[in-house]
Amino acid sequence: MVAKDMRLRQQGRMLRLILALLAVSAAAVGFLYVRQPAALLNGIDALWRGPGGELVADGVAYGSLPRQRLDIWRPVGAGNDDDRPVIIFIHGGSWDSGARGQYGFAGRALASQGFVTAVIDYRLGVEGRFPAMVQDSAAATAWVVGNI
């Protein structure tokens, strides 16, 4: 009887530990989602990558400024000469946050549907005062039209 009671206590402790770990994990995920939802989604995507898109160019310059860069994603196994539709993904962030590297999940998902996808950065904050981000988006679009 004593051994059974000890086993039940140990199981109860283990169950409380598991529930506490789940609660802490849920709180951490919730915090990250509120603070950086794109980074959280990108992290989940990094852990669970199914077939889909592949990053073929990282940080390609479409202008001379540090934030004028883009990443290019394409379907797995697609060649450079494939004639595929192209999507330009411009992330949100209220013109003061976000980065192309946080949106790999979007590039991969769109590429898995058969699109070549350019995920762009643009100037943010003080450097990105209106209309800078619009000019950067137009410059990135012009680069994509001329190069992809």
Side-chain angles (χ1 to χ4, degrees), residues 84-140:
R84 296 184 179 268
V86 178
I87 292 179
I88 300 170
F89 183 89
I90 304 169
H91 67 79
S94 302
W95 300 338
D96 71 352
S97 65
R100 71 181 194 284
Q102 295 175 328
Y103 291 88
F105 69 92
R108 184 178 344 287
L110 291 166
S112 74
Q113 298 303 307
F115 299 98
V116 172
T117 306
V119 180
I120 74 163
D121 269 340
Y122 51 87
R123 288 174 280 175
L124 300 173
V126 176
E127 184 182 71
R129 292 187 107 144
F130 184 82
M133 71 291 298
V134 176
Q135 293 166 336
D136 288 355
S137 298

Side-chain angles (χ1 to χ4, degrees), residues 57 60-63 70 72 118 138-148:
V60 176
Y62 66 85
L70 58 86
I72 302 170
T141 300
W143 186 94
V144 167
V145 168
N147 293 279
I148 296 181

